[in-house]
Coordinates of all heavy atoms in Angstrom, one line a residue:
S1 N 10.0 9.9 -11.1 CA 10.3 8.6 -10.6 C 9.3 7.5 -10.9 O 8.1 7.9 -11.0 CB 10.5 8.6 -9.1 OG 11.5 9.5 -8.6
T2 N 9.6 6.4 -11.1 CA 8.7 5.3 -11.4 C 8.1 4.7 -10.1 O 8.7 4.8 -9.1 CB 9.3 4.2 -12.2 OG1 10.3 3.5 -11.4 CG2 10.0 4.7 -13.4
P3 N 7.0 4.0 -10.2 CA 6.5 3.3 -9.0 C 7.5 2.4 -8.4 O 7.6 2.3 -7.2 CB 5.3 2.6 -9.5 CG 4.7 3.4 -10.6 CD 6.0 3.9 -11.3
K4 N 8.2 1.7 -9.2 CA 9.2 0.7 -8.7 C 10.3 1.5 -7.9 O 10.7 1.0 -6.8 CB 9.8 -0.1 -9.9 CG 10.9 -1.0 -9.4 CD 11.6 -1.7 -10.6 CE 12.7 -2.6 -10.1 NZ 13.3 -3.3 -11.3
E5 N 10.7 2.6 -8.4 CA 11.8 3.4 -7.7 C 11.2 3.9 -6.4 O 12.0 3.9 -5.4 CB 12.2 4.5 -8.6 CG 13.0 4.1 -9.8 CD 13.2 5.2 -10.8 OE1 12.5 6.2 -10.8 OE2 14.3 5.1 -11.6
I6 N 10.1 4.4 -6.4 CA 9.5 4.9 -5.1 C 9.3 3.8 -4.1 O 9.7 4.0 -3.0 CB 8.1 5.7 -5.4 CG1 8.5 6.9 -6.3 CG2 7.4 6.0 -4.2 CD1 7.3 7.6 -6.8
I7 N 8.7 2.7 -4.5 CA 8.4 1.6 -3.5 C 9.8 1.1 -3.0 O 10.0 0.9 -1.8 CB 7.6 0.5 -4.2 CG1 6.2 1.0 -4.6 CG2 7.5 -0.7 -3.3 CD1 5.3 1.4 -3.6
T8 N 10.8 1.0 -3.9 CA 12.1 0.4 -3.5 C 12.8 1.5 -2.5 O 13.4 1.1 -1.6 CB 13.0 0.2 -4.7 OG1 12.3 -0.7 -5.6 CG2 14.4 -0.3 -4.3
F9 N 12.6 2.7 -2.8 CA 13.2 3.8 -1.9 C 12.6 3.7 -0.5 O 13.3 3.7 0.5 CB 12.9 5.2 -2.5 CG 13.3 6.3 -1.6 CD1 14.7 6.7 -1.5 CD2 12.4 6.9 -0.8 CE1 15.0 7.7 -0.7 CE2 12.8 7.9 0.1 CZ 14.1 8.3 0.2
V10 N 11.3 3.5 -0.5 CA 10.6 3.4 0.9 C 11.2 2.2 1.6 O 11.5 2.3 2.8 CB 9.1 3.4 0.7 CG1 8.4 3.0 2.0 CG2 8.5 4.7 0.1
L11 N 11.2 1.0 0.9 CA 11.7 -0.2 1.6 C 13.1 0.0 2.0 O 13.5 -0.4 3.1 CB 11.6 -1.4 0.6 CG 10.3 -2.1 0.6 CD1 10.2 -3.2 -0.4 CD2 9.9 -2.5 1.9
N12 N 14.0 0.6 1.2 CA 15.3 0.8 1.6 C 15.5 1.7 2.8 O 16.3 1.5 3.6 CB 16.2 1.3 0.4 CG 16.4 0.3 -0.6 OD1 16.3 -0.9 -0.4 ND2 16.7 0.7 -1.9
H13 N 14.6 2.7 2.9 CA 14.6 3.6 4.0 C 14.4 2.9 5.3 O 15.0 3.2 6.3 CB 13.6 4.8 3.8 CG 13.5 5.6 5.0 ND1 14.4 6.5 5.4 CD2 12.6 5.7 6.0 CE1 14.0 7.1 6.5 NE2 12.9 6.6 6.9
F14 N 13.4 2.0 5.3 CA 13.1 1.3 6.5 C 14.0 0.2 6.9 O 13.9 -0.5 7.9 CB 11.6 0.7 6.4 CG 10.6 1.8 6.6 CD1 9.8 2.2 5.5 CD2 10.5 2.5 7.8 CE1 8.9 3.2 5.6 CE2 9.5 3.5 7.9 CZ 8.7 3.9 6.9
H15 N 15.0 -0.1 5.9 CA 16.0 -1.1 6.2 C 17.4 -0.4 6.4 O 18.4 -1.1 6.3 CB 16.1 -2.2 5.1 CG 14.9 -3.1 5.1 ND1 13.9 -3.0 4.3 CD2 14.7 -4.2 5.9 CE1 13.0 -3.9 4.5 NE2 13.5 -4.6 5.5
S16 N 17.4 0.9 6.6 CA 18.7 1.6 6.8 C 19.2 1.4 8.3 O 18.4 1.1 9.1 CB 18.5 3.0 6.4 OG 17.7 3.7 7.5
P17 N 20.5 1.6 8.4 CA 21.1 1.4 9.8 C 20.6 2.5 10.7 O 20.7 2.3 11.9 CB 22.6 1.6 9.5 CG 22.8 1.5 8.1 CD 21.5 1.8 7.4
T18 N 20.0 3.6 10.2 CA 19.5 4.6 11.2 C 18.1 4.5 11.6 O 17.6 5.3 12.3 CB 19.7 6.0 10.4 OG1 18.8 6.0 9.2 CG2 21.1 6.4 10.1
S19 N 17.4 3.4 11.2 CA 16.0 3.2 11.6 C 15.8 1.7 12.0 O 16.6 0.9 11.7 CB 15.0 3.5 10.4 OG 15.1 2.6 9.4
D20 N 14.8 1.5 12.8 CA 14.4 0.1 13.2 C 14.0 -0.6 11.9 O 13.4 0.1 11.1 CB 13.3 0.1 14.2 CG 13.8 0.7 15.6 OD1 15.0 0.6 15.9 OD2 12.9 1.2 16.3
T21 N 14.4 -1.8 11.8 CA 13.9 -2.6 10.7 C 12.4 -2.8 10.6 O 11.8 -3.3 11.6 CB 14.7 -4.0 10.6 OG1 16.0 -3.7 10.5 CG2 14.2 -4.8 9.4
I22 N 11.8 -2.5 9.6 CA 10.4 -2.6 9.3 C 10.2 -3.5 8.1 O 10.8 -3.2 7.1 CB 9.6 -1.3 9.1 CG1 9.7 -0.5 10.5 CG2 8.2 -1.6 8.8 CD1 9.1 0.9 10.4
E23 N 9.5 -4.6 8.2 CA 9.4 -5.5 7.1 C 8.3 -5.0 6.1 O 7.4 -4.2 6.6 CB 9.0 -6.9 7.6 CG 10.0 -7.5 8.5 CD 11.4 -7.7 7.9 OE1 11.4 -8.0 6.7 OE2 12.4 -7.5 8.6
A24 N 8.4 -5.4 4.9 CA 7.5 -5.0 3.9 C 6.0 -5.2 4.2 O 5.2 -4.4 4.1 CB 7.8 -5.6 2.6
I25 N 5.7 -6.3 4.9 CA 4.4 -6.7 5.3 C 3.8 -5.7 6.3 O 2.6 -5.7 6.4 CB 4.3 -8.2 5.7 CG1 2.8 -8.7 5.7 CG2 5.0 -8.3 7.1 CD1 2.2 -8.7 4.4
Q26 N 4.6 -5.0 6.9 CA 4.2 -4.0 8.0 C 3.8 -2.7 7.3 O 3.3 -1.8 8.1 CB 5.3 -3.8 9.0 CG 5.6 -5.0 9.8 CD 6.8 -4.8 10.7 OE1 7.9 -4.8 10.3 NE2 6.5 -4.5 12.0
L27 N 4.0 -2.5 6.1 CA 3.6 -1.3 5.4 C 2.3 -1.4 4.6 O 2.0 -2.5 4.1 CB 4.8 -0.9 4.5 CG 6.1 -0.7 5.1 CD1 7.2 -0.4 4.1 CD2 6.0 0.5 6.1
L28 N 1.6 -0.4 4.4 CA 0.3 -0.3 3.7 C 0.5 0.7 2.7 O 0.7 1.9 3.0 CB -0.8 0.0 4.7 CG -2.2 0.2 4.0 CD1 -2.7 -1.0 3.4 CD2 -3.2 0.8 4.9
V29 N 0.3 0.4 1.4 CA 0.3 1.3 0.3 C -1.2 1.5 -0.1 O -1.9 0.6 -0.4 CB 1.2 0.9 -0.9 CG1 1.0 1.7 -2.1 CG2 2.6 0.7 -0.4
V30 N -1.6 2.7 -0.1 CA -3.0 3.1 -0.5 C -2.9 3.9 -1.8 O -2.2 5.0 -1.8 CB -3.7 3.9 0.6 CG1 -5.1 4.3 0.2 CG2 -3.7 3.2 1.9
S31 N -3.6 3.5 -2.8 CA -3.5 4.2 -4.0 C -4.7 3.9 -4.9 O -5.4 2.8 -4.7 CB -2.2 3.8 -4.8 OG -2.1 4.5 -6.1
D32 N -4.9 4.7 -6.0 CA -5.9 4.3 -7.0 C -5.2 3.9 -8.3 O -5.9 3.8 -9.3 CB -6.9 5.5 -7.2 CG -6.2 6.7 -7.7 OD1 -4.9 6.8 -7.7 OD2 -6.9 7.7 -8.1
R33 N -3.9 3.8 -8.2 CA -3.1 3.5 -9.4 C -2.6 2.0 -9.4 O -2.0 1.6 -8.4 CB -2.0 4.4 -9.6 CG -2.4 5.8 -9.8 CD -1.3 6.8 -10.0 NE -0.2 6.2 -10.9 CZ 0.9 6.9 -11.2 NH1 1.1 8.1 -10.7 NH2 1.8 6.4 -12.0
D34 N -2.9 1.3 -10.5 CA -2.5 -0.1 -10.6 C -1.0 -0.2 -10.5 O -0.5 -1.2 -9.9 CB -3.0 -0.7 -11.9 CG -4.4 -1.1 -11.9 OD1 -4.9 -1.3 -10.7 OD2 -5.0 -1.4 -12.9
D35 N -0.2 0.7 -11.1 CA 1.2 0.5 -11.1 C 1.8 0.5 -9.7 O 2.7 -0.3 -9.4 CB 1.9 1.5 -12.1 CG 1.5 3.0 -11.9 OD1 0.6 3.2 -11.1 OD2 2.1 3.8 -12.5
Y36 N 1.4 1.4 -8.9 CA 1.8 1.5 -7.5 C 1.4 0.3 -6.7 O 2.2 -0.3 -5.9 CB 1.4 2.8 -6.8 CG 2.2 4.0 -7.2 CD1 1.7 4.8 -8.2 CD2 3.3 4.3 -6.6 CE1 2.4 5.9 -8.6 CE2 4.0 5.5 -6.9 CZ 3.6 6.2 -8.0 OH 4.3 7.4 -8.3
L37 N 0.1 -0.1 -6.9 CA -0.4 -1.3 -6.1 C 0.3 -2.6 -6.6 O 0.6 -3.4 -5.7 CB -1.9 -1.4 -6.4 CG -2.7 -0.2 -5.7 CD1 -4.1 -0.2 -6.2 CD2 -2.6 -0.3 -4.2
K38 N 0.6 -2.7 -7.8 CA 1.3 -3.9 -8.3 C 2.7 -4.0 -7.7 O 3.0 -5.1 -7.1 CB 1.4 -3.9 -9.8 CG 2.1 -5.2 -10.3 CD 2.4 -5.1 -11.8 CE 3.1 -6.3 -12.4 NZ 4.2 -6.8 -11.6
W39 N 3.5 -2.9 -7.7 CA 4.8 -3.0 -7.2 C 4.8 -3.2 -5.7 O 5.5 -4.0 -5.1 CB 5.6 -1.8 -7.5 CG 6.2 -1.8 -8.9 CD1 5.8 -1.2 -10.0 CD2 7.3 -2.7 -9.3 NE1 6.5 -1.6 -11.1 CE2 7.4 -2.5 -10.7 CE3 8.0 -3.6 -8.6 CZ2 8.4 -3.2 -11.4 CZ3 9.0 -4.3 -9.3 CH2 9.2 -4.1 -10.7
A40 N 3.9 -2.6 -5.0 CA 3.8 -2.8 -3.5 C 3.4 -4.2 -3.2 O 4.0 -4.8 -2.3 CB 2.7 -1.8 -2.9
R41 N 2.4 -4.8 -3.9 CA 2.0 -6.1 -3.7 C 3.2 -7.1 -4.0 O 3.5 -8.0 -3.2 CB 0.9 -6.5 -4.7 CG 0.3 -7.9 -4.4 CD -0.6 -8.4 -5.5 NE 0.2 -8.4 -6.8 CZ -0.3 -8.5 -8.0 NH1 -1.7 -8.4 -8.1 NH2 0.4 -8.6 -9.0
D42 N 3.9 -6.9 -5.1 CA 5.0 -7.7 -5.5 C 6.2 -7.6 -4.5 O 6.9 -8.6 -4.4 CB 5.5 -7.4 -6.9 CG 4.5 -7.8 -8.0 OD1 3.4 -8.4 -7.7 OD2 4.7 -7.3 -9.1
M43 N 6.3 -6.5 -3.8 CA 7.3 -6.4 -2.8 C 6.9 -6.9 -1.5 O 7.6 -6.9 -0.5 CB 7.7 -4.9 -2.7 CG 8.3 -4.3 -4.0 SD 9.9 -5.1 -4.5 CE 11.0 -4.4 -3.4
G44 N 5.6 -7.4 -1.3 CA 5.2 -8.0 -0.1 C 4.5 -7.1 0.9 O 4.3 -7.4 2.0
M45 N 4.1 -5.9 0.4 CA 3.4 -4.9 1.2 C 1.9 -5.1 1.2 O 1.4 -5.8 0.3 CB 3.7 -3.5 0.7 CG 5.1 -3.0 0.8 SD 5.3 -1.4 0.1 CE 7.0 -1.1 0.3
N46 N 1.2 -4.6 2.2 CA -0.2 -4.7 2.2 C -0.7 -3.6 1.2 O 0.0 -2.6 1.1 CB -0.8 -4.3 3.6 CG -0.6 -5.4 4.6 OD1 -1.2 -6.5 4.4 ND2 0.2 -5.2 5.6
T47 N -1.7 -3.9 0.5 CA -2.3 -3.0 -0.5 C -3.7 -2.6 -0.3 O -4.5 -3.5 0.2 CB -2.0 -3.5 -1.9 OG1 -2.7 -4.8 -2.0 CG2 -0.6 -3.6 -2.3
C48 N -4.0 -1.4 -0.6 CA -5.4 -0.9 -0.4 C -5.7 0.0 -1.6 O -5.1 1.0 -1.8 CB -5.6 -0.2 0.9 SG -7.2 0.5 1.2
R49 N -6.8 -0.4 -2.3 CA -7.2 0.4 -3.5 C -8.2 1.4 -3.0 O -9.2 1.1 -2.4 CB -7.8 -0.5 -4.5 CG -8.3 0.3 -5.8 CD -9.0 -0.6 -6.8 NE -8.1 -1.6 -7.2 CZ -7.1 -1.4 -8.2 NH1 -6.9 -0.1 -8.6 NH2 -6.3 -2.4 -8.5
L50 N -7.9 2.7 -3.4 CA -8.9 3.7 -3.2 C -9.8 3.8 -4.4 O -9.3 4.1 -5.5 CB -8.2 5.0 -3.0 CG -9.0 6.3 -2.7 CD1 -9.9 6.1 -1.5 CD2 -8.2 7.5 -2.6
R51 N -11.0 3.3 -4.3 CA -11.9 3.3 -5.4 C -13.3 3.9 -5.0 O -14.2 3.2 -4.4 CB -12.2 1.8 -5.8 CG -13.1 1.6 -6.9 CD -13.2 0.1 -7.3 NE -14.1 -0.1 -8.4 CZ -15.2 -0.7 -8.3 NH1 -15.5 -1.4 -7.2 NH2 -16.0 -0.8 -9.3
P52 N -13.5 5.1 -5.4 CA -14.7 5.8 -5.1 C -15.9 5.0 -5.7 O -15.8 4.3 -6.7 CB -14.6 7.2 -5.8 CG -13.1 7.4 -5.8 CD -12.5 6.0 -6.1
L53 N -17.1 5.2 -5.2 CA -18.3 4.7 -5.7 C -18.5 4.9 -7.1 O -18.3 6.0 -7.6 CB -19.5 5.2 -4.9 CG -20.9 4.5 -5.1 CD1 -20.8 3.1 -4.6 CD2 -21.9 5.3 -4.3
N54 N -18.8 3.9 -7.9 CA -19.0 3.9 -9.3 C -17.8 4.1 -10.2 O -17.9 4.3 -11.4 CB -20.1 4.9 -9.7 CG -21.5 4.6 -9.1 OD1 -21.8 3.5 -9.0 ND2 -22.2 5.7 -8.6
A55 N -16.6 4.1 -9.5 CA -15.4 4.3 -10.3 C -15.0 2.9 -10.8 O -15.4 1.9 -10.3 CB -14.3 4.7 -9.4
P56 N -14.4 2.8 -12.0 CA -14.0 1.6 -12.5 C -13.0 0.8 -11.7 O -12.2 1.5 -11.0 CB -13.3 1.9 -13.9 CG -13.0 3.4 -13.7 CD -13.9 4.0 -12.8
G57 N -13.1 -0.5 -11.7 CA -12.1 -1.4 -10.9 C -10.7 -1.3 -11.6 O -10.6 -1.0 -12.7
G58 N -9.8 -1.8 -10.9 CA -8.5 -1.9 -11.4 C -8.2 -3.3 -11.9 O -9.0 -4.2 -11.9
N59 N -7.0 -3.5 -12.4 CA -6.5 -4.8 -12.9 C -5.6 -5.5 -11.9 O -5.1 -6.5 -12.3 CB -5.8 -4.5 -14.2 CG -6.8 -4.0 -15.3 OD1 -7.8 -4.4 -15.4 ND2 -6.3 -2.9 -16.0
V60 N -5.4 -4.9 -10.8 CA -4.4 -5.5 -9.8 C -5.3 -5.9 -8.5 O -6.0 -5.1 -8.0 CB -3.4 -4.5 -9.4 CG1 -2.5 -5.1 -8.3 CG2 -2.5 -4.2 -10.6
T61 N -5.1 -7.1 -8.1 CA -5.8 -7.6 -6.9 C -5.1 -7.0 -5.6 O -3.9 -7.0 -5.6 CB -5.8 -9.1 -6.7 OG1 -6.4 -9.6 -7.9 CG2 -6.5 -9.6 -5.5
T62 N -5.9 -6.4 -4.8 CA -5.3 -5.8 -3.6 C -5.9 -6.5 -2.3 O -6.9 -7.2 -2.4 CB -5.7 -4.3 -3.5 OG1 -7.2 -4.1 -3.5 CG2 -5.1 -3.5 -4.7
D63 N -5.3 -6.3 -1.2 CA -5.7 -6.8 0.1 C -7.0 -6.2 0.5 O -7.9 -6.8 1.2 CB -4.6 -6.6 1.2 CG -3.4 -7.3 0.7 OD1 -3.3 -8.5 0.5 OD2 -2.3 -6.7 0.7
Y64 N -7.1 -4.9 0.3 CA -8.3 -4.1 0.8 C -8.7 -3.2 -0.3 O -8.0 -2.8 -1.2 CB -8.0 -3.3 2.0 CG -7.5 -4.1 3.2 CD1 -6.2 -4.4 3.4 CD2 -8.5 -4.6 4.1 CE1 -5.8 -5.2 4.5 CE2 -8.0 -5.4 5.2 CZ -6.7 -5.7 5.3 OH -6.3 -6.4 6.5
T65 N -10.0 -2.7 -0.2 CA -10.5 -1.7 -1.1 C -11.4 -0.8 -0.3 O -12.2 -1.3 0.5 CB -11.4 -2.3 -2.3 OG1 -10.6 -3.2 -3.0 CG2 -11.9 -1.3 -3.2
V66 N -11.2 0.5 -0.4 CA -12.0 1.5 0.3 C -12.6 2.5 -0.7 O -12.0 2.7 -1.8 CB -11.2 2.3 1.3 CG1 -10.7 1.3 2.5 CG2 -10.0 3.0 0.8
Q67 N -13.7 3.1 -0.3 CA -14.3 4.1 -1.2 C -13.8 5.5 -0.9 O -13.9 6.4 -1.8 CB -15.9 4.1 -1.0 CG -16.5 2.9 -1.6 CD -18.0 2.9 -1.5 OE1 -18.5 3.9 -1.0 NE2 -18.6 1.9 -1.9
N68 N -13.3 5.8 0.2 CA -12.7 7.1 0.6 C -11.6 6.9 1.6 O -11.4 5.9 2.2 CB -13.8 8.1 1.1 CG -14.5 7.5 2.3 OD1 -13.8 7.3 3.3 ND2 -15.8 7.3 2.2
I69 N -10.8 8.0 1.7 CA -9.7 8.0 2.5 C -10.0 7.8 4.0 O -9.2 7.2 4.7 CB -8.8 9.2 2.3 CG1 -7.3 9.0 2.6 CG2 -9.3 10.4 3.0 CD1 -6.6 8.0 1.7
T70 N -11.1 8.2 4.4 CA -11.5 8.0 5.8 C -11.6 6.5 6.2 O -11.3 6.2 7.3 CB -12.9 8.7 6.1 OG1 -12.8 10.1 5.7 CG2 -13.3 8.6 7.5
E71 N -12.0 5.7 5.2 CA -12.1 4.2 5.5 C -10.8 3.6 5.7 O -10.7 2.4 6.1 CB -12.9 3.6 4.4 CG -14.3 4.0 4.3 CD -15.0 3.4 3.1 OE1 -14.4 2.6 2.3 OE2 -16.2 3.8 2.9
V72 N -9.7 4.3 5.4 CA -8.3 3.6 5.6 C -8.0 3.3 7.0 O -7.4 2.3 7.3 CB -7.2 4.5 5.0 CG1 -5.8 3.9 5.3 CG2 -7.4 4.6 3.4
Q73 N -8.6 4.1 7.9 CA -8.4 3.8 9.4 C -9.0 2.5 9.7 O -8.4 1.7 10.5 CB -9.1 4.9 10.2 CG -8.9 4.7 11.7 CD -7.4 4.8 12.1 OE1 -6.8 5.7 11.8 NE2 -6.9 3.8 12.8
E74 N -10.1 2.0 9.1 CA -10.6 0.7 9.4 C -9.7 -0.4 8.9 O -9.5 -1.5 9.5 CB -12.0 0.6 8.7 CG -13.0 1.5 9.3 CD -14.3 1.4 8.5 OE1 -14.7 0.4 7.9 OE2 -15.0 2.5 8.5
V75 N -9.0 -0.1 7.8 CA -8.0 -1.1 7.2 C -6.9 -1.2 8.1 O -6.4 -2.3 8.5 CB -7.6 -0.6 5.8 CG1 -6.4 -1.5 5.3 CG2 -8.7 -0.6 4.8
V76 N -6.4 -0.1 8.6 CA -5.2 -0.1 9.6 C -5.6 -0.9 10.9 O -4.9 -1.7 11.4 CB -4.8 1.4 9.9 CG1 -3.7 1.3 11.0 CG2 -4.2 2.0 8.6
N77 N -6.8 -0.6 11.3 CA -7.3 -1.3 12.6 C -7.4 -2.8 12.3 O -7.0 -3.6 13.1 CB -8.6 -0.8 13.0 CG -8.6 0.6 13.6 OD1 -7.5 1.1 13.9 ND2 -9.7 1.3 13.7
D78 N -7.9 -3.2 11.1 CA -8.0 -4.6 10.8 C -6.6 -5.2 10.7 O -6.3 -6.4 11.2 CB -8.7 -4.8 9.4 CG -8.9 -6.3 9.1 OD1 -9.6 -6.9 9.8 OD2 -8.3 -6.7 8.1
I79 N -5.6 -4.6 10.0 CA -4.3 -5.1 10.0 C -3.7 -5.3 11.4 O -3.0 -6.3 11.7 CB -3.4 -4.2 9.1 CG1 -3.8 -4.2 7.7 CG2 -1.9 -4.5 9.3 CD1 -3.2 -3.3 6.7
N80 N -3.9 -4.3 12.3 CA -3.4 -4.4 13.6 C -4.2 -5.2 14.7 O -3.9 -5.3 15.8 CB -3.2 -3.0 14.2 CG -2.1 -2.2 13.5 OD1 -1.1 -2.8 13.1 ND2 -2.4 -0.9 13.2
G81 N -5.3 -5.8 14.1 CA -6.2 -6.7 14.9 C -7.0 -6.0 15.9 O -7.5 -6.5 16.9
I82 N -7.4 -4.8 15.5 CA -8.3 -3.9 16.4 C -9.7 -4.0 15.7 O -9.8 -3.7 14.5 CB -7.8 -2.5 16.5 CG1 -6.4 -2.4 17.1 CG2 -8.8 -1.6 17.3 CD1 -5.8 -1.1 17.0
S83 N -10.7 -4.3 16.5 CA -12.0 -4.4 15.9 C -12.8 -3.2 16.2 O -12.6 -2.4 16.9 CB -12.7 -5.6 16.4 OG -12.7 -5.7 17.7

């Protein structure tokens, strides 16, 4: 599957009659891949780049950047307004 297909599938799942509607902006995509981050950003989702120390930067602007997966909790807290 392509990043576009995966991101679209996720969005469609959250807009199905069997689940509460969740808007794209309520979702966070965490990845180290530009293709996933680009599609998520273009679909209106929050994006977070996983970029370990000294790793090359990507070509897609993201809302957040973390060095390890543990730091994602801080991103979630920020999005939810928890300090």
Side-chain angles (χ1 to χ4, degrees):
S1 297
T2 67
K4 178 182 179 182
E5 291 169 337
I6 292 169
I7 299 291
T8 302
F9 174 81
V10 169
L11 277 178
N12 288 339
H13 172 75
F14 287 112
H15 286 101
S16 73
T18 59
S19 68
D20 293 333
T21 299
I22 296 177
E23 299 301 320
I25 195 65
Q26 295 174 282
L27 300 174
L28 173 67
V29 173
V30 180
S31 181
D32 62 350
R33 294 183 46 179
D34 278 344
D35 49 355
Y36 284 93
L37 294 168
K38 179 187 181 318
W39 277 107
R41 184 195 64 199
D42 291 352
M43 298 296 284
M45 298 177 179
N46 287 295
T47 55
C48 178
R49 178 180 301 282
L50 181 59
R51 182 176 176 245
L53 187 63
N54 299 322
N59 296 315
V60 175
T61 302
T62 59
D63 299 302
Y64 300 90
T65 301
V66 295
Q67 291 183 1
N68 58 62
I69 202 69
T70 306
E71 294 176 2
V72 173
Q73 182 63 52
E74 295 173 29
V75 171
V76 172
N77 289 345
D78 186 64
I79 291 170
N80 289 323
I82 300 170
S83 52

